Amino acid sequence: MIAPFIHDAPSQRIVFAPGAVGQVAEEATRLGMARALVIATPGSGATLGARVRDLLGARAAGLHAQAVIHVPRGVAAAGLQAAQGANADGLVVVGGGSAIGLAKAIAHQTALPILALPTTYSGSEATPIFGLSEGDEKLVQRDPRVLPRTVIYDPDLTLGLPAAVSAASGMNAIAHCVEAFWVPDRTPVTMALAAEALRLLVPGLPRAVADGNDKDARNACLAASWLAGAALAAGTGLHHKLAHVLGGFGLPHAEAHALILPHVARFNLAAATDAAARLAATFGAADAVTALETMLQTFPIPQRLRDLGFERGKIEAAAIQVAALEINAPRRVSEDEVRMLLMAAF
Ligand code: NAD
């Protein structure tokens, strides 16, 4: 039986095609941008950013390649200053969730429209959610104005994504789908998005990790990352809340998501038999948790919290923060249970 639901998902213009980065000037014009500030991360992100700036030509007001994971407040302030200094009328962001997060933080202050070109599988471009970090805490906010108006998905931009980043970020997308199956506000649409994303990711992600130049796999994973991000419209539960708290302690977002997923799944699926059956069917396995564990183990990414540099002494503080969120679905989670879960992941 379908439980009562309200489906309230924002709409976006999505352009998906290999080589679609070539349409960035046209899409910026469509959004009325005449002076777009390009946002990216430093390093290889800056190279991508410079390419997008050049493609925008006269519509580019500059390149700000200073994005940092979890958007520390100072980084957000510098981004705002860059947008105001350039007299920007729009933000064109190219990169992963870190770059998109900075663009969102600027849009939150300025209401500037965002055109996004995602190059990882974070799915951030499909949500009106953004985070700012300060000390050991990460503040997550929701603002419809930060949702990118247009998203250009160009799978060719992901060919250079290193195997470890592909794997961690792909597991982040899988986590969006797994959680979509058990959050209380799930709808038939978010369930369908998650199921289709998993149908593409389960075979596609191992192939993209094994061979970054596998165009079919890259294509499937990028499309899936959009669907997985859109499935987040149903809200998040224990998995994402735990990952956000760990992010506040400075852990890399996607890697933390990846390694805690089997542990949270073991805990939650025990109380969500429908979700467990759906997941097992998607993986073609008898047990969804074992399938998730096996997938994680084949990837070249950290497998335990300790491998990420998380100190055992911080488990207590993290457990207190998560338990204070009073998560009740699909089952209530106590401080003790969060502690045990983190110990297992440690
Ligand atoms: P990321 O953006 O930090 O990217 C990881 C690394 O990959 C970076 O060094 C980046 O420069 C590099 N990179 C990105 N694209 C590349 C490419 N095509 N080729 C080569 N290198 C490339 O990592 P992420 O996992 O995408 O994003 C993490 C951030 O996104 C976190 O701050 C997290 O909180 C946020 N996030 C937000 C949401 C949301 O809904 N708001 C969802 C998921 C993640």
Side-chain angles (χ1 to χ4, degrees):
M1 197 175 106
I2 305 282
F5 66 85
I6 294 173
H7 188 75
D8 184 4
S11 78
Q12 295 175 295
R13 177 176 165 86
I14 308 292
V15 178
F16 185 100
V21 65
Q23 296 172 46
V24 69
E26 189 185 325
E27 290 299 329
T29 306
R30 216 170 183 278
L31 289 174
M33 294 181 188
R35 294 187 54 77
L37 181 66
V38 179
I39 306 288
T41 37
S44 59
T47 311
L48 270 176
R51 185 171 162 209
V52 168
R53 180 196 56 200
D54 294 349
L55 284 166
L56 282 168
R59 297 199 173 270
L63 167 63
H64 182 74
Q66 305 293 330
V68 173
I69 191 160
H70 302 314
V71 198
R73 277 197 189 277
V75 170
L80 176 62
Q81 211 173 22
Q84 288 170 337
N87 197 20
D89 61 3
L91 304 167
V92 173
V93 55
V94 59
S98 298
I100 295 167
L102 175 57
K104 285 175 163 180
I106 300 170
H108 177 60
Q109 298 286 330
T110 58
L112 289 175
I114 299 178
L115 164 55
L117 296 107
T119 64
T120 70
Y121 308 132
S122 81
S124 173
E125 69 284 353
T127 82
I129 304 161
F130 69 104
L132 288 170
S133 62
E134 193 160 30
D136 273 357
E137 291 208 37
K138 188 167 171 193
L139 177 70
V140 177
Q141 298 178 67
R142 181 180 279 270
D143 176 356
R145 296 179 311 170
V146 312
L147 181 80
R149 309 271 176 91
T150 300
V151 184
I152 298 179
Y153 287 103
D154 181 346
D156 289 351
L157 293 183
T158 65
L159 297 177
L161 198 59
V165 182
S166 304
S169 150
M171 285 298 285
N172 190 183
I174 288 179
H176 298 336
C177 302
V178 172
E179 187 130 280
F181 283 157
W182 67 49
V183 286
D185 291 337
R186 61 190 181 275
T187 75
V189 170
T190 56
M191 301 276 278
L193 290 168
E196 176 62 5
L198 281 174
R199 191 187 68 78
L200 294 167
L201 282 166
V202 169
L205 186 58
R207 282 174 52 198
V209 173
D211 175 8
N213 285 311
D214 182 332
K215 290 198 173 193
D216 286 346
R218 288 299 194 185
N219 192 293
C221 289
L222 195 62
S225 70
W226 166 43
L227 304 173
L232 282 174
T236 61
L238 176 60
H239 179 82
H240 283 71
K241 295 194 165 38
L242 186 53
H244 273 299
V245 166
L246 292 173
F249 286 94
L251 296 198
H253 178 88
E255 288 80 353
H257 262 280
L259 72 83
I260 62 168
L261 182 60
H263 299 280
V264 180
R266 181 172 294 107
F267 180 80
N268 267 355
L269 289 177
T273 44
D274 180 60
R278 275 171 186 272
L279 274 171
T282 311
F283 279 95
D287 172 51
V289 178
T290 310
L292 284 168
E293 270 172 350
T294 308
M295 188 179 226
L296 176 65
Q297 281 161 9
T298 61
F299 289 155
I301 52 174
Q303 304 284 318
R304 296 173 304 186
L305 278 177
R306 72 172 77 169
D307 302 335
L308 280 185
F310 186 70
E311 292 161 31
R312 196 189 192 109
K314 295 207 164 166
I315 287 181
E316 195 58 32
I320 292 170
Q321 278 190 43
V322 176
L325 300 172
E326 296 191 2
I327 299 157
N328 292 312
R331 62 190 285 196
R332 208 187 87 75
V333 59
S334 69
E335 193 181 304
D336 243 11
E337 284 162 336
V338 182
R339 202 176 288 119
M340 278 162 53
L341 220 150
L342 286 170
M343 275 308 296
F346 187 81

